[in-house]
Amino acid sequence: MIDNSSSEMPSHDVLLVGGGGAGLRAAIAVSEVDPNLSVAVVSKVYPMRSHTVSAEGGAAAVIKEGDSLEEHAYDTISGGDWMCDQDAVELFVNEAPGEMLQLEHWGCPWSREPDGRVAVRPFGGMKKERTWFAADKTGFHMLHALFQTSLKYRSITRYDEWFVTRLLVEDGRVQGVVAIELMTGRIQAITAKSVIICTGGCGKVFPFTTNANIKNGDGMALAYRAGVPLKDMEFVQYHPTGLPFTGILITEASRAEGGFLINKDGYRYLQDYDLGTPQPKPVLRSMELGPRDRLSQAFMKELDKGRTLEGPYGPYVHLDLTHLGKKIIDTKLPFVRELCLKYENIDPVSQLIPVRPVVHYMMGGVHTDIQGATPLAGLFAAGEVACVSINGANRLGSNSLTELLVFGARAGRAAAEYALQNKPVSAGIEAQAADEKKRLEREFLHKRSGTEPIAVLRGEMQSTMEKSAGIYRTGALLEEAQADIAELKERFRQVAIQDHSHTFNTELMAALELSYMLDVAEAVVECALQRTESRGAHQRTDFPRRDDERFLAHSLVSHRTGDRPEVEYLPVTITRWPPGERVYGRPAAKTPPG
């Protein structure tokens, strides 16, 4: 039985759900607006264990001579297959350099050129070198800089290892959360005048992913259940180079430094595929830096041709870094070498790295505007959990870390201004919090004679998503998945929980996470079924062409209790660049077309 005793509800002005890059940047932004505002950061892990710490390759922002904000915007928009809101992209590229320089002032040790300037490297889909990096531990250093900076604000209170189960909504606005303190099992309501969700993505809905085990779509499902639509959930990015068993990312930086992708015959197979524009001969190094969706699709075509290798965890190809030499690998890719040695027992200095496409990033998420505000008053979102949308149908590598900063800061400032309106907590909040405590007891602990193991349900969900909502999709497979997910949600009612302890009840947490993942899986499948075209990471073999006439629009999926979700569409914002062909590898015009 969970310890239900509670004292008075803690109350803050602004509450952050999630303590990663976006959450910490937002918390700092709130304190910058008004240092007297009380800020709560509620995170189910210690902030330095947030998934931002795992990001390797770099963060994009224009700094180098010969580059321009317009070119960064155009690369992002064309790379997103014209599904990006262009006003949001223009704002993003304009604010990105300032945020990156600010992070340097806070102590992020960007790698340098011999003359002392910030070093930048090429990244997939970018025609210019604009990806800042700190060797290949960029996220690690960014998160440290943000965390250390947050410590100087006394107004920030951290709730480390607290798991949020519900948003408290009363009088048409969010007014706090209910959370479980993992160390004691205590269920506690924490009220706030505004709430920012910064919980990251939902890669664990799939079996092979670069995402940490904590990325289960928690924040997406919290907003979804509170009536906030999720946007563009059909767009799921596979990264072409993950380790076959663990899914651990081998960063795009390894290809930016000159790594080759080769099939079982030792052949650089990407030269056979359309990555947006024909590759001139001899094959350019940029071939491996095509967009992630196209590289993952090329892998599947190699598989169909029988040109991949087969291992205990499925098909794979090789990433070859051996020609780079020990000095470059140890200087610019030390973490890649460490990961290969620890998890594959191979040394990339002299051996080939087995890789396969694995789920990496959600372009979709909680529907927000350019301030991070959702349609629910007082609720904001930033980072991968949110969809602004700057990533469209396919995120370009290295835009996401910068997005954490730009939109984390914007959401923080907007939530602070909302909180300064000084709206008191509604009288009904305490009763609503009590109802949530009773629900947790009733559904997960008191009558736990269930027979459905958590791991079995989770495994079936992941297999369904990989089979039906993976790199290539069909209407028939998506309809099967729709029925399978509905059945899994019904079976989840009989989930078995045998652990009734108070302290760090990980079985209870796994059950709650699975309930979130099933909601997210349902949203992905429904949106993918309704979008009868192919665009970016969403490839329907039964509808192989892009259809701008019907689907130059964002999908908005809303939760319907006891029924199928409802999908509506919102037009994409076009400002300067009308839809065109996706092209890579050509020099960008100084003034992009349109």
Side-chain angles (χ1 to χ4, degrees):
M1 179 176 175
I2 287 184
D3 179 5
N4 227 349
S5 60
S6 68
S7 54
E8 261 184 67
M9 293 185 291
S11 185
H12 300 272
D13 294 306
V14 182
L15 185 149
L16 284 295
V17 185
L24 292 176
R25 182 64 187 95
I28 293 166
V30 173
S31 298
E32 288 173 328
V33 169
D34 187 340
N36 294 315
L37 285 173
S38 172
V39 183
V41 178
V42 184
S43 175
K44 68 178 178 181
V45 295
Y46 187 73
M48 288 310 305
R49 294 188 62 228
S50 301
H51 190 60
T52 308
V53 81
S54 302
E56 300 170 38
V62 171
I63 192 174
K64 195 171 184 179
E65 293 176 6
D67 196 6
S68 69
L69 299 176
E70 289 78 12
E71 287 172 297
H72 188 184
Y74 185 69
D75 285 354
T76 299
I77 291 161
S78 60
D81 220 347
W82 271 267
M83 187 56 53
C84 310
D85 283 335
Q86 295 181 15
D87 56 344
V89 172
E90 290 189 82
L91 180 150
F92 166 69
V93 301
N94 274 277
E95 296 187 4
E99 283 291 330
M100 299 290 282
L101 289 170
Q102 176 65 78
L103 199 64
E104 179 181 45
H105 296 162
W106 287 338
C108 186
W110 300 118
S111 293
R112 299 280 174 173
E113 300 288 1
D115 63 3
R117 296 185 183 187
V118 171
V120 287
R121 60 174 36 136
F123 239 66
M126 303 271 190
K127 288 189 281 289
K128 295 291 179 68
E129 294 184 351
R130 64 173 67 99
T131 298
W132 305 37
F133 60 97
D136 59 352
K137 295 185 178 181
T138 307
F140 174 90
H141 291 297
M142 286 178 64
L143 194 62
H144 272 76
L146 289 166
F147 182 63
Q148 290 162 2
T149 301
S150 75
L151 296 178
K152 75 179 184 181
Y153 294 102
R154 295 185 179 181
S155 57
I156 297 176
T157 301
R158 295 207 324 271
Y159 293 78
D160 295 342
E161 297 181 327
W162 284 66
F163 186 85
V164 174
T165 67
R166 181 176 177 176
L167 297 176
L168 295 173
V169 180
E170 191 79 9
D171 297 332
R173 59 190 173 94
V174 70
Q175 300 188 41
V177 303
V178 174
I180 300 173
E181 184 181 30
L182 299 180
M183 184 172 68
T184 65
R186 177 165 59 105
I187 303 171
Q188 179 69 63
I190 307 171
T191 63
K193 296 167 186 172
S194 59
V195 174
I196 312 175
I197 299 177
C198 303
T199 53
C202 57
K204 295 304 290 184
V205 170
F206 291 80
F208 297 104
T209 176
T210 64
N211 290 188
N213 283 330
I214 59 174
K215 293 188 70 175
N216 304 284
D218 304 0
M220 294 177 187
L222 287 170
Y224 186 55
R225 293 174 182 182
V228 177
L230 302 180
K231 183 162 66 182
D232 292 345
M233 292 298 287
E234 61 268 45
F235 298 113
V236 180
Q237 183 173 86
Y238 277 72
H239 196 292
T241 54
L243 295 178
F245 169 50
T246 60
I248 288 172
L249 175 68
I250 300 301
T251 174
E252 201 157 290
S254 59
R255 288 174 280 127
E257 297 300 334
F260 299 152
L261 282 169
I262 57 177
N263 63 18
K264 71 175 186 179
D265 302 318
Y267 175 66
R268 288 179 70 188
Y269 60 87
L270 291 174
Q271 62 191 293
D272 294 347
Y273 298 99
D274 176 18
L275 304 181
T277 186
Q279 294 291 330
K281 304 288 183 173
V283 176
L284 297 178
R285 193 179 95 175
S286 63
M287 179 172 60
E288 270 79 13
L289 290 178
R292 291 171 176 173
D293 58 341
R294 299 258 172 106
L295 265 62
S296 296
Q297 291 155 23
F299 172 92
M300 296 301 292
K301 290 172 181 175
E302 287 294 290
L303 174 63
D304 290 343
K305 294 173 183 175
R307 302 200 308 204
T308 59
L309 298 102
E310 190 65 30
Y313 305 104
Y316 66 94
V317 291
H318 279 129
L319 176 62
D320 184 2
L321 306 183
T322 58
H323 54 283
L324 300 182
K326 184 175 183 296
K327 182 178 179 181
I328 287 179
I329 291 174
D330 283 347
T331 302
K332 294 189 173 181
L333 303 169
F335 194 43
V336 166
R337 190 179 188 195
E338 181 182 335
L339 290 171
C340 290
L341 287 166
K342 285 185 175 180
Y343 291 96
E344 293 288 335
N345 195 30
I346 62 173
D347 188 343
V349 171
S350 57
Q351 295 171 282
L352 303 177
I353 307 170
V355 293
R356 59 160 289 161
V358 293
V359 167
H360 183 58
Y361 190 88
M362 287 296 299
M363 275 69 76
V366 179
H367 175 38
T368 76
D369 64 16
I370 58 176
Q371 306 299 335
T374 75
L376 177 59
L379 183 66
F380 302 80
E384 189 180 352
V385 72
C387 183
V388 179
S389 149
I390 67 161
N391 297 310
N394 173 65
R395 176 176 69 80
L396 293 195
S398 73
N399 268 350
S400 62
L401 285 179
T402 320
E403 181 186 2
L404 299 178
L405 303 174
V406 171
F407 290 101
R410 292 183 74 84
R413 290 192 291 267
E417 295 296 341
Y418 185 91
L420 287 168
Q421 296 175 20
N422 201 29
K423 296 185 177 183
V425 172
S426 299
I429 286 296
E430 193 165 349
Q432 193 180 134
D435 286 345
E436 175 65 3
K437 293 176 183 179
K438 290 175 184 175
R439 182 189 75 87
L440 292 170
E441 291 277 6
R442 181 180 67 251
E443 294 185 11
F444 292 100
L445 292 173
H446 276 172
K447 60 168 192 176
R448 279 301 97 200
S449 57
T451 56
E452 295 283 358
I454 295 168
V456 170
L457 294 177
R458 184 174 56 227
E460 290 185 27
M461 173 197 66
Q462 290 172 336
S463 296
T464 293
M465 295 301 287
E466 182 78 5
K467 172 187 173 185
S468 304
I471 295 173
Y472 284 105
R473 303 156 174 187
T474 67
L477 284 174
L478 288 166
E479 286 176 355
E480 282 183 31
Q482 193 180 57
D484 290 346
I485 296 298
E487 180 190 349
L488 288 168
K489 292 188 80 168
E490 187 62 33
R491 287 168 57 192
F492 180 79
R493 295 174 182 272
Q494 296 301 319
V495 70
I497 298 179
Q498 298 175 335
D499 185 356
H500 295 262
S501 63
H502 292 191
T503 302
F504 290 106
N505 189 331
T506 55
E507 189 177 27
L508 171 62
M509 194 163 95
L512 292 168
E513 288 174 333
L514 177 57
S515 72
Y516 291 148
M517 286 192 280
L518 287 168
D519 277 357
V520 170
E522 171 187 71
V524 170
V525 168
E526 195 67 35
C527 291
L529 182 61
Q530 299 294 335
R531 185 175 289 274
T532 52
E533 67 157 358
S534 289
R535 185 186 298 266
H538 172 69
Q539 293 292 307
R540 288 282 297 264
T541 56
D542 47 352
F543 294 94
R545 298 192 179 278
R546 196 176 85 188
D547 184 353
D548 287 343
E549 186 174 335
R550 295 181 59 209
F551 289 110
L552 189 62
H554 302 295
S555 61
L556 295 177
V557 59
S558 299
H559 186 254
R560 295 288 181 268
T561 304
D563 201 356
R564 280 176 53 182
E566 180 179 318
V567 179
E568 299 174 316
Y569 291 93
L570 178 72
V572 171
T573 301
I574 306 292
T575 59
R576 299 173 56 191
W577 298 280
E581 182 187 359
R582 284 178 73 189
V583 294
Y584 297 89
R586 297 174 185 165
K590 290 187 178 178
T591 303

